[in-house]
């Protein structure tokens, strides 16, 4: 059946399965991805069906995982690497930033770097330290990397396919607190381009831009605002590098107002980039300054405080009100 | 193109054959052992140890109370009082043996599972639970008991321990430092780098690897092809494998390595060969990857049972001792349970506390905005 209702984690699993089936060069690598199927079971059953040569349990060494994935890519493979949690990508950050991102340019375009790095990210699951972070801006800032994040099952399925098919390194951020959210996946559809933003909710008074885990919060905020007679447009960015500024611009030209929402700290975050570009592009259409809602300039707090830290419905609605008050 | 590089491009032997050829060495290295799984006291030419009956009973008490504390924490997680728990079940001898080898002025760098070592350092066990409950990221002042905060990023702390030890040496002090880590951690670059630094600078540090056979779902063979203690040799310092379920051997071997460090003879790697009897953490499901027979085989080597057998056979502890220890265990369990349940959620403004030592204008600004934002709800409520 082409259309199925799947949780995001399962959609990712189906996507990996399809990639392994269609391209013998695709490899899955990471800690615990084999028998266990990953700590979130995203690779569940894949080693059983494709063997230890294709679905590889690696030593517990992130720099080693990404560094060897680079070598495998140089040899013609397409490694899809799993980093167990956001906070554990940093031992590999050196390999990603100093090597993976730059090799294509350094080789005058003669070599390709089709490496996908999957990272479950973001908070809201009551975890201990290093399990709830949103480091996307640290990667989007690096030339040579592409950075994307699906917010629903269909995108999870298709964006991962597209990331694997891409000849560029893609940092694939998976919204871990949405892993269990179900949505429809049409495995025979023709997907839109990987880096095109999506209008998640049409509206005319104000634009909200979000990605990954915050899309759901923004759609809920739009519904709550609608009850007060406010028409909120929600854009699911899908890609943080590159960013589809055209879609945002079109929306802001219509609404005159923009709020960017993400879990990551606001300071130097992706909201800053979007605010700056849209201010340049829409200076005369903006009725209010671009506002940002996100995390504080503080370490991600212990679980019992994450509700205060994470932008929820109220903080998004508060920003909507502030914007509309100008 | 050379012949060699052409060959390299041909399909190679299947990796199955390669891995069969590279099977870990079959000759199992000798474990340092002073107490057999049957509770027999045996001698070792290099690591003999002489303990008073009091000290022996003390080690037993430490292990029993640590296990009780651990079991209580696991239960509290199941009851929803803790978000997560990393149990040490089965690793009591490795932790108590090494922990009791330490002097007060030594410094400990743990992972997230060293509850028994924390016990030996005098850290109140209830302090360990804050981070697992989600009310803080640490919960104690590392300098009170020379017991550093738990480290979750695998392997990082081995470098901190090495640097600390380099500082100890620079100060001309004769304390030693001990770094704990797992068999999985041995794969991390940080651990290899800590071996390099400690050897090059002759740092007074003991690397205490608890090889509990698993790193979540991956067996030790997925991390190394040689017994872990042999790693040390390539870095230029000694490595020794000890029966990690034998508290006496762990104590003797660690004591000897610490003394070596104090004498200025540099690092030692101790591999405590032990077993993680439970799940990796309460979020883990070992039935997906581990055979139950394996656990049963290791249960027969239980560190607590073997010391009890020895104490009883040698007439070093009577029924009254065991009964009063049972009572003490229950009291500890109750105290831990009550303390956790009474642990308040942190104040919301704690988010902004201690981000910087010198303060930071942005943090002050965001804090003020947050206060105003929260106050706006109170106003609405009026
Ligand atoms: C850098 C890093 N990568 C991944 C993880 C996730 N993780 C937590 S514990 C663990 C296994 C650790 O195994 P080992 O070092 O043998 O210690 P054990 O827990 O068995 O005592 C993994 C992969 C982590 N905490 N840090």
């Amino acid at each position: 059946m082409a259309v199925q209702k799947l949780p995001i984690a399962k959609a990712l699993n189906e996507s990996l399965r399809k990639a392994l089936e269609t391209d013998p060069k695709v490899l899955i690598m990471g800690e615990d991805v084999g028998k266990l199927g990953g700590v979130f079971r995203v690779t569940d059953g894949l080693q059983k069906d494709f063997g230890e040569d294709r679905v590889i349990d690696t030593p517990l060494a992130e720099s080693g995982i990404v560094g060897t994935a680079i070598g495998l890519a140089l040899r013609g493979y397409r490694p899809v690497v799993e980093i167990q949690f956001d906070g554990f990508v940093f031992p590999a950050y050196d390999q990603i930033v100093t090597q993976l991102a730059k090799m294509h340019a350094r080789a005058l375009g003669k070599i390709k770097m089709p490496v996908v790095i999957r990272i479950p990210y973001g908070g809201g699951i009551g975890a201990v330290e290093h399990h709830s972070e949103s480091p996307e801006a640290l990667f989007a800032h690096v030339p040579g990397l592409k950075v994307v994040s699906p917010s629903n099952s269909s995108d999870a399925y298709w964006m991962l396919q597209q990331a694997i098919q891409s000849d560029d390194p893609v940092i694939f951020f998976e919204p871990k607190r949405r892993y269990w959210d179900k949505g429809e996946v049409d495995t025979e559809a023709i997907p839109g381009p990987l880096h095109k933003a999506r209008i998640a909710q049409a509206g005319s008074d104000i634009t909200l831009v979000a990605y990954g885990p915050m899309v759901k919060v923004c759609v809920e905020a739009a519904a709550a605002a609608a009850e007060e007679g406010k028409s909120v447009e929600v854009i699911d960015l899908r890609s943080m590098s590159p960013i589809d500024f055209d879609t945002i611009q079109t929306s802001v030209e219509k609404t005159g107002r923009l709020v960017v929402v993400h879990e990551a700290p606001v300071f130097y975050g992706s909201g800053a980039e979007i605010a700056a570009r849209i201010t340049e592009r829409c200076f005369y259409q903006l009725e209010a300054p671009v506002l940002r809602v996100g995390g504080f300039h503080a370490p991600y707090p212990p679980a019992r405080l994450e509700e205060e830290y994470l932008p929820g419905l109220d903080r998004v609605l508060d920003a909507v009100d502030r914007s509309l008050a100008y | 193109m050379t012949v060699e590089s052409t060959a390299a491009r041909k399909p190679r032997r299947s990796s199955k054959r390669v891995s069969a050829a590279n099977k870990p060495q079959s000759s199992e290295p000798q474990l340092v052992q002073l107490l057999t799984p049957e509770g027999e006291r045996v001698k070792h030419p290099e690591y003999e140890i002489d303990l008073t009956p009091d000290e022996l009973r003390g080690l037993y008490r430490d292990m029993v109370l640590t296990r009780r504390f651990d079991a209580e924490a696991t239960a509290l997680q199941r009851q929803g009082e803790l978000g997560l728990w990393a149990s040490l079940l089965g690793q009591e001898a490795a932790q108590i043996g090494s922990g009791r080898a330490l002097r007060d002025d030594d410094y400990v760098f743990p992972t997230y599972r060293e509850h028994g070592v924390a016990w030996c350092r005098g850290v109140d066990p209830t302090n360990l639970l804050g981070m697992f409950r989600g009310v803080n990221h640490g919960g104690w002042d590392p300098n009170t008991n020379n017991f550093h905060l738990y480290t979750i990023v695998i392997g990082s702390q081995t470098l901190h321990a090495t640097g600390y030890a380099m500082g100890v040496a620079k100060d001309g002090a004769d304390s030693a430092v001990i770094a704990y880590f797992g068999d999985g951690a041995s794969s991390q670059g940080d651990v290899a780098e800590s071996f390099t630094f400690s050897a090059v600078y002759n740092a007074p540090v003991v690397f205490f690897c608890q090889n509990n056979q698993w790193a979540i779902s991956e067996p030790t063979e997925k991390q190394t092809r040689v017994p872990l203690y042999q790693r040390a040799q390539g870095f230029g310092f000694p490595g020794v494998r000890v029966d990690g379920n034998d508290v006496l051997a762990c104590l003797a071997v660690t004591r000897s390595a610490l003394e070596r460090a104090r004498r200025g003879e540099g690092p030692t790697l101790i591999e405590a060969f032990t077993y993680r009897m439970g799940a990796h953490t309460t979020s883990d499901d070992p039935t997906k990857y581990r055979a139950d027979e394996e656990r049963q085989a290791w249960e027969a080597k239980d560190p607590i049972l073997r010391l009890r057998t020895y104490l009883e056979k040698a007439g070093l502890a009577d029924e009254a001792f065991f009964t009063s220890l049972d009572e003490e265990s229950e009291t500890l369990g109750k105290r831990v349970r009550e303390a956790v349940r009474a642990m308040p959620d942190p104040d919301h403004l704690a988010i902004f506390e201690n981000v910087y030592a010198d303060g930071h204008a942005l943090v002050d600004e965001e804090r003020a905005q947050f206060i105003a934002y929260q106050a706006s709800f109170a106003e609405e409520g009026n």
Side-chain angles (χ1 to χ4, degrees):
Chain A
M1 205 176 55
V3 182
Q4 291 169 275
K5 222 169 150 92
L6 298 176
I8 288 183
K10 183 68 180 153
L12 293 165
N13 178 270
E14 290 294 332
S15 186
L16 291 171
R17 173 175 293 280
K18 172 95 178 294
L20 286 163
E21 270 164 12
T22 37
D23 185 350
K25 293 294 184 187
V26 170
L27 303 173
I28 312 284
M29 300 168 64
E31 294 155 12
D32 303 293
V33 298
K35 266 194 190 151
L36 186 64
V39 292
F40 290 107
R41 309 290 183 264
V42 170
T43 56
D44 203 16
L46 298 179
Q47 189 181 69
K48 189 168 126 280
D49 296 343
F50 295 91
E52 291 186 30
D53 289 348
R54 307 272 321 271
V55 181
I56 305 166
D57 265 335
T58 64
L60 208 178
E62 285 77 8
S63 181
I65 295 170
V66 173
T68 55
I70 291 173
L72 284 157
L74 291 171
R75 181 69 193 184
Y77 286 90
R78 302 184 90 84
V80 184
V81 156
E82 175 173 299
I83 299 292
Q84 206 157 69
F85 278 92
D86 35 64
F88 307 144
V89 71
F90 295 104
Y93 195 63
D94 168 39
Q95 285 288 344
I96 297 171
V97 172
T98 66
Q99 306 301 323
L100 181 62
K102 295 181 166 144
M103 254 180 220
H104 178 68
R106 289 175 58 221
L108 310 176
K110 299 297 181 206
I111 55 173
K112 311 252 194 292
M113 279 290 122
V115 176
V116 176
I117 300 176
R118 297 181 33 242
I119 309 176
Y121 82 121
I125 63 161
V128 291
E129 226 189 342
H130 311 295
H131 291 70
S132 304
E133 289 164 22
S134 302
E136 62 272 14
L138 297 176
F139 293 91
H141 190 64
V142 178
L145 301 177
K146 292 183 170 172
V147 182
V148 303
S149 177
S151 72
N152 58 60
S153 300
S154 176
D155 275 351
Y157 182 84
W158 284 113
M159 288 171 70
L160 186 52
Q161 297 283 309
Q162 293 168 317
I164 295 169
Q165 282 153 18
S166 168
D167 283 333
D168 287 311
V170 181
I171 314 295
F172 194 90
F173 279 108
E174 300 172 1
K176 71 170 86 81
R177 69 166 144 145
R178 307 283 179 233
Y179 269 146
W180 303 278
D181 286 7
K182 281 191 176 178
E184 274 185 6
V185 180
D186 181 349
T187 54
E188 278 159 27
I190 296 166
L194 178 57
H195 302 290
K196 182 144 178 57
R198 175 180 75 95
I199 308 290
Q201 170 78 53
S204 53
D205 295 338
I206 182 168
T207 305
L208 294 182
V209 168
Y211 49 83
M214 291 311 297
V215 172
K216 186 175 179 185
V217 175
C218 288
V219 169
E220 285 168 5
E227 285 176 18
E228 297 169 6
K230 297 167 198 156
S231 172
V232 177
E233 180 142 301
V234 179
I235 295 178
D236 177 357
L237 199 56
R238 300 171 78 250
S239 171
M240 283 83 81
S241 176
I243 287 179
D244 174 8
F245 288 109
D246 291 347
T247 297
I248 309 175
Q249 180 177 350
T250 306
S251 175
V252 171
E253 280 171 354
K254 176 173 66 173
T255 63
R257 293 183 159 82
L258 175 62
V259 177
V260 189
V261 185
H262 51 62
E263 287 188 12
V266 166
F267 194 53
Y268 282 101
S270 38
E273 183 59 42
I274 296 169
R277 297 269 175 174
I278 291 303
T279 304
E280 269 178 46
R281 286 180 176 223
C282 306
F283 190 67
Y284 294 107
Q285 286 87 25
L286 280 168
E287 308 278 346
V290 180
L291 299 181
R292 292 169 288 161
V293 181
F296 304 112
H297 191 63
Y300 192 91
R304 299 264 169 161
L305 288 178
E306 68 180 344
E307 286 305 314
E308 312 302 325
Y309 178 93
L310 290 170
L313 210 55
D314 286 335
R315 266 169 63 199
V316 175
L317 289 170
D318 179 62
V320 166
D321 289 346
R322 276 190 288 132
S323 177
L324 286 167
Y326 274 90
Chain B
M1 205 180 252
T2 66
V3 177
E4 248 175 46
S5 63
T6 321
R9 279 169 197 283
K10 281 203 209 129
R12 296 208 126 193
R13 296 162 290 167
S14 88
S15 57
K16 275 206 183 71
R17 277 186 48 202
V18 176
S19 59
N22 282 356
K23 263 249 148 63
Q25 296 175 358
S26 58
S27 58
E28 274 300 315
Q30 281 280 304
L31 300 171
V32 175
Q33 198 176 65
L34 297 177
L35 194 60
T36 69
E38 294 73 37
E40 286 311 324
R41 186 72 170 80
V42 288
K43 296 257 178 227
H44 191 280
E46 232 178 297
Y47 296 105
E48 220 5 82
I49 195 168
D50 198 13
L51 296 171
T52 66
D54 240 10
E55 287 170 325
L56 287 165
R57 283 190 297 269
L59 292 172
Y60 182 79
R61 172 178 173 271
D62 288 337
M63 289 199 289
V64 167
L65 293 180
T66 298
R67 181 170 290 187
R68 181 67 182 85
F69 163 69
D70 186 70
E72 191 60 44
T74 303
L76 285 164
Q77 194 281 334
R78 298 283 177 239
Q79 292 158 20
E81 298 288 345
L82 301 177
L84 181 82
W85 183 244
S87 164
L88 63 29
L89 185 63
Q91 300 180 215
E92 295 86 354
Q95 296 199 9
I96 299 301
S98 60
R100 284 296 174 211
L102 296 163
R103 243 169 41 186
D104 282 353
D105 58 330
D106 294 339
Y107 213 104
V108 178
F109 288 84
T111 70
Y112 42 78
R113 206 190 284 282
E114 266 65 78
H115 321 312
V117 185
W119 171 264
C120 295
R121 297 308 281 173
V123 176
D124 186 320
T126 60
N127 284 351
L128 304 176
L129 299 167
M131 67 178 280
F132 291 100
R133 186 172 169 86
V135 301
N136 60 42
H137 283 322
W140 61 90
D141 173 356
N143 290 326
T144 306
N145 305 88
N146 284 6
F147 185 80
H148 190 67
L149 301 170
Y150 276 0
T151 301
I152 286 179
V153 180
I154 298 294
S156 295
Q157 75 282 3
T158 57
L159 279 167
H160 312 156
T162 300
Y164 193 96
M166 287 160 62
V168 167
K170 278 187 196 303
D171 293 345
D174 82 333
S175 3
V177 178
I178 189 163
Y180 288 87
F181 60 103
D183 47 309
S186 72
S187 296
Q188 287 284 353
D190 276 4
V191 173
E193 292 179 29
S194 72
F195 287 1
T196 300
F197 274 70
S198 63
V200 166
Y201 296 107
N202 205 41
V205 58
V206 175
F207 296 104
F208 195 91
C209 176
Q210 287 168 83
N211 177 358
N212 65 13
Q213 314 302 323
W214 292 92
I216 309 189
S217 74
E218 297 190 5
T220 311
E221 300 86 78
K222 286 278 180 226
Q223 315 292 339
T224 181
R225 290 295 182 182
V226 298
L228 283 171
Y229 78 98
Q230 287 178 4
R231 288 267 178 95
Q233 201 192 354
F235 289 88
F237 54 90
V240 51
R241 182 180 269 188
V242 60
D243 183 338
N245 287 17
D246 173 352
V247 69
L248 304 185
C250 288
L251 175 61
V253 168
T254 312
R255 202 177 257 178
S256 154
L258 290 165
E259 277 161 13
R260 202 184 109 82
R262 290 185 216 297
R263 288 194 304 268
E265 291 168 29
T268 303
L269 169 62
I270 298 172
E271 177 192 1
F273 204 73
T274 180
Y275 192 71
R276 181 192 88 205
M277 289 219 255
H280 167 71
T281 65
T282 45
S283 308
D284 177 40
D285 174 11
T287 61
K288 298 263 303 182
Y289 55 83
R290 195 174 80 178
D292 212 36
E293 299 82 68
E294 185 185 281
R295 182 195 151 114
Q296 284 157 17
W298 277 91
E299 264 170 16
K301 303 181 196 174
D302 188 302
I304 296 185
L305 270 181
R306 78 169 73 171
L307 184 55
R308 182 174 179 130
T309 310
Y310 172 64
L311 289 175
E312 285 174 339
K313 272 204 278 197
L316 296 171
D318 55 13
E319 207 40 52
F321 168 76
F322 294 113
T323 316
S324 85
L325 186 52
D326 284 346
E327 281 162 19
E328 200 180 351
S329 291
E330 279 324 297
T331 312
L332 175 68
K334 189 158 172 277
R335 176 164 82 82
V336 167
R337 199 158 56 240
E338 282 167 1
V340 167
R341 293 199 171 131
M343 215 177 264
D345 280 357
D347 185 89
H348 296 170
L349 294 177
I351 291 173
F352 304 98
E353 276 166 25
N354 300 311
V355 182
Y356 294 91
D358 291 339
H360 187 288
L362 176 67
V363 177
D364 296 344
E365 186 189 318
E366 289 188 348
R367 185 177 192 273
Q369 283 168 354
F370 185 75
I371 292 170
Y373 169 71
Q374 292 214 313
S376 72
F377 289 101
E379 279 160 24
E380 274 169 28
N382 283 345

